[in-house]
Amino acid sequence: MTTPSPDEPVYADRVYRSPMAVVTGVLLLALIAWLCGDAVVRGEDSARWVGLAIALFAVPLTVAFTLRPAVFANDDRMRVRNPFRVIVLPWAAVDAVRAGYSAEVLAEGSKYQLWSVPVSLRERKKASRKFSRRDALGGKGLGQDGAAAAAGPERAAADQVVDELRELAERGAGRPGAQGSVSVKWAYEIIAPAVVGAVALILLLATG
């Protein structure tokens, strides 16, 4: 194995996120804006404050679980942006990237979930059935050529992402820029407004 040169270029990050989560987040934010906005504009007395408190509580959480999760990966490291944390993992610190019932990375004795790479067991079974059907037809000389056979089994989207991340980890672990330890940063910009909104909502409901 050759040692990577310090002068090797680092290419732009690959970004992995769930399109369905993004669409869901946009729709939920629109619904929150409509309901809470209506309460603020048309509500009376405490109803307006309740609407504001709900919005302050619900918007950060909606963003956290739908729009925010993403995985950014380049030749040196992976940055995992989960709902309430950002984890930076240099490839040299990564022990494994795997997908079971969820996609996760193991590093320095800890396990971190990849929220933006949802594992669909249904999609995985569908891909497996499709390959089995193609393989069976190929055994009868129907519907399969050499290129399709060489392509191997179908892979679910999450498994393909994990394969790519695993390949990046193996290829980049020896790079000088990929050395270092894991760092974790809490997303206080999400946590703080959600907590304030929750406290305000509790106080408003308690005081009538």
Side-chain angles (χ1 to χ4, degrees):
M1 178 178 176
T2 59
T3 302
S5 167
D7 299 323
E8 280 191 46
V10 177
Y11 296 98
D13 286 355
R14 302 185 190 186
V15 182
Y16 303 94
R17 65 196 326 155
S18 169
M20 184 60 67
V22 173
V23 172
T24 302
V26 170
L27 293 176
L28 286 175
L29 288 175
L31 180 62
I32 293 169
W34 175 45
L35 294 176
C36 294
D38 184 70
V40 171
V41 172
R42 301 188 181 187
E44 297 180 359
D45 301 327
S46 63
R48 294 183 177 181
W49 293 107
V50 169
L52 286 173
I54 291 175
L56 188 59
F57 172 68
V59 169
L61 292 182
T62 301
V63 171
F65 286 99
T66 58
L67 304 182
R68 177 180 167 83
V71 171
F72 305 88
N74 59 30
D75 292 339
D76 284 342
R77 62 183 53 82
M78 172 168 58
R79 182 163 60 94
V80 180
R81 196 170 68 190
N82 281 344
F84 302 114
R85 295 191 299 178
V86 176
I87 306 105
V88 178
L89 306 105
W91 290 128
V94 172
D95 299 320
V97 184
R98 65 190 187 188
Y101 292 105
S102 63
E104 55 196 24
V105 56
L106 306 180
E108 298 180 347
S110 297
K111 179 172 68 176
Y112 306 98
Q113 280 194 320
L114 309 181
W115 280 75
S116 67
V117 187
V119 173
S120 171
L121 298 181
R122 181 179 180 183
E123 182 184 2
R124 187 178 285 168
K125 290 179 181 178
K126 182 179 178 181
S128 179
R129 285 197 303 268
K130 185 176 180 181
F131 172 73
S132 298
R133 186 164 55 249
R134 189 183 70 186
D135 192 48
L137 291 173
K140 299 177 181 179
L142 301 172
Q144 181 173 338
D145 54 22
E154 297 284 341
R155 303 281 283 166
D159 294 324
Q160 292 178 22
V161 170
V162 167
D163 288 345
E164 291 182 19
L165 293 173
R166 188 181 294 127
E167 181 182 350
L168 283 171
E170 292 172 354
R171 191 171 67 224
R175 291 176 60 93
Q179 308 307 305
S181 57
V182 177
S183 66
V184 180
K185 179 182 177 183
W186 288 95
Y188 293 108
E189 69 277 12
I190 295 290
I191 298 171
V195 170
V196 171
V199 171
L201 183 59
I202 291 171
L203 291 175
L204 286 168
L205 293 178
T207 57

